[in-house]
Amino acid sequence: DTGVSQNPRHKITKRGQNVTFRCDPISEHNRLYWYRQTLGQGPEFLTYFQNEAQLEKSRLLSDRFSAERPKGSFSTLEIQRTEQGDSAMYLCASSLENSGNTIYFGEGSWLTVV
Amino acid sequence: SQKIEQNSEALNIQEGKTATLTCNYTNYSPAYLQWYRQDPGRGPVFLLLIRENEKEKRKERLKVTFDTTLKQSLFHITASQPADSATYLCALEGFTGGFKTIFGAGTRLFVKA
């Protein structure tokens, strides 16, 4: 069990550029989540997958955000035409399929849009 | 909409005392309630889970209570230590148009030696 892995850990990009984050969940976990966190706030739900199916996407997520989990293993979160308001830590987490299970978080990917 | 409220002010206590953190929620009927610890710049780490039909759960120096009538959970750390200093997040899992876990903003705890 190597834990949830996220890459890159830090990304600085110019406004208007596209960025992509990758998440490798714990291998036997079916569920994969993306959250966004800004300073002084808790993790804000963005979307989650069960295997390769994206089951829910937050209404807060604009069309510039897209997430995929093509083979039910790793996932990518892409942000197109980044804006300064996108600056945050993007957290990936995974859990077993049944509800009531612990969510295991990665260390996050920090995005700074300049 | 669903709302989770945690003390926004930091909690400062002396080493050895019991820290008590509060989580209140509205417009929500969670099936599970969880507490996580988060250190600066790190991802949250799971501490305890309590189900809606449970009143109390303990783990070493940690105790969680869950009152679904008051819509409140209390999180206690007994015999607190400076190493307990961190942000503690309350999280609820239930059906909100999809089954997912949502988090409060967290309470920062400082334990002074």
Side-chain angles (χ1 to χ4, degrees):
Chain A
D1 182 355
T2 58
V4 178
S5 177
Q6 293 189 244
N7 289 289
R9 292 292 318 281
H10 301 272
K11 179 73 176 179
I12 300 174
T13 190
K14 291 184 178 179
R15 189 173 49 190
Q17 298 294 305
N18 299 345
V19 296
T20 299
F21 299 113
R22 175 181 169 122
C23 172
D24 289 272
I26 294 172
S27 58
E28 65 268 25
H29 285 184
N30 305 91
R31 286 191 177 174
L32 186 148
Y33 309 80
W34 285 100
Y35 289 85
R36 176 172 63 191
Q37 187 174 27
T38 53
L39 200 62
Q41 299 299 313
E44 177 186 34
F45 172 81
L46 294 179
T47 188
Y48 87 99
F49 294 83
Q50 185 145 311
N51 300 312
E52 66 273 12
Q54 186 173 19
L55 296 188
E56 187 173 350
K57 185 175 175 180
S58 169
R59 285 170 290 180
L60 300 173
L61 219 57
S62 75
D63 292 341
R64 297 183 298 104
F65 288 73
S66 63
E68 294 182 346
R69 194 182 184 197
K71 297 182 180 178
S73 56
F74 74 92
S75 175
T76 57
L77 176 69
E78 181 183 17
I79 309 173
Q80 296 182 325
R81 305 181 303 282
T82 52
E83 302 172 356
Q84 286 189 319
D86 298 332
S87 296
M89 180 165 67
Y90 290 85
L91 288 161
C92 177
S94 69
S95 71
L96 289 170
E97 180 174 340
N98 296 327
S99 60
N101 278 300
T102 302
I103 295 177
Y104 293 86
F105 281 87
E107 295 291 20
S109 291
W110 287 93
L111 173 65
T112 302
V113 181
V114 298
Chain B
S1 62
Q2 300 86 23
K3 194 172 182 181
I4 302 173
E5 291 182 341
Q6 296 186 250
N7 294 345
S8 57
E9 290 185 14
L11 179 63
N12 291 280
I13 64 167
Q14 200 67 35
E15 182 178 12
K17 301 294 186 184
T18 296
T20 298
L21 286 69
T22 304
C23 173
N24 295 292
Y25 59 93
T26 56
N27 298 325
Y28 200 30
S29 296
Y32 309 93
L33 186 146
Q34 303 182 37
W35 284 88
Y36 288 76
R37 170 185 173 138
Q38 187 172 28
D39 292 289
R42 309 294 297 274
V45 175
F46 170 79
L47 295 175
L48 277 171
L49 177 149
I50 187 166
R51 291 172 168 74
E52 61 175 341
N53 60 351
E54 297 177 318
K55 297 290 186 185
E56 183 178 300
K57 185 73 74 78
R58 292 175 185 259
K59 179 182 176 183
E60 298 173 351
R61 295 185 295 112
L62 308 180
K63 185 178 86 170
V64 172
T65 63
F66 193 11
D67 189 327
T68 54
T69 301
L70 291 179
K71 295 186 183 296
Q72 181 181 78
S73 174
L74 299 179
F75 177 75
H76 307 272
I77 306 174
T78 58
S80 59
Q81 305 165 1
D84 295 327
S85 298
T87 296
Y88 291 87
L89 299 164
C90 171
L92 303 179
E93 181 181 358
F95 190 79
T96 60
F99 216 87
K100 63 179 181 284
T101 300
I102 59 175
F103 286 80
T107 298
R108 191 80 188 270
L109 172 66
F110 293 99
V111 181
K112 293 179 285 188

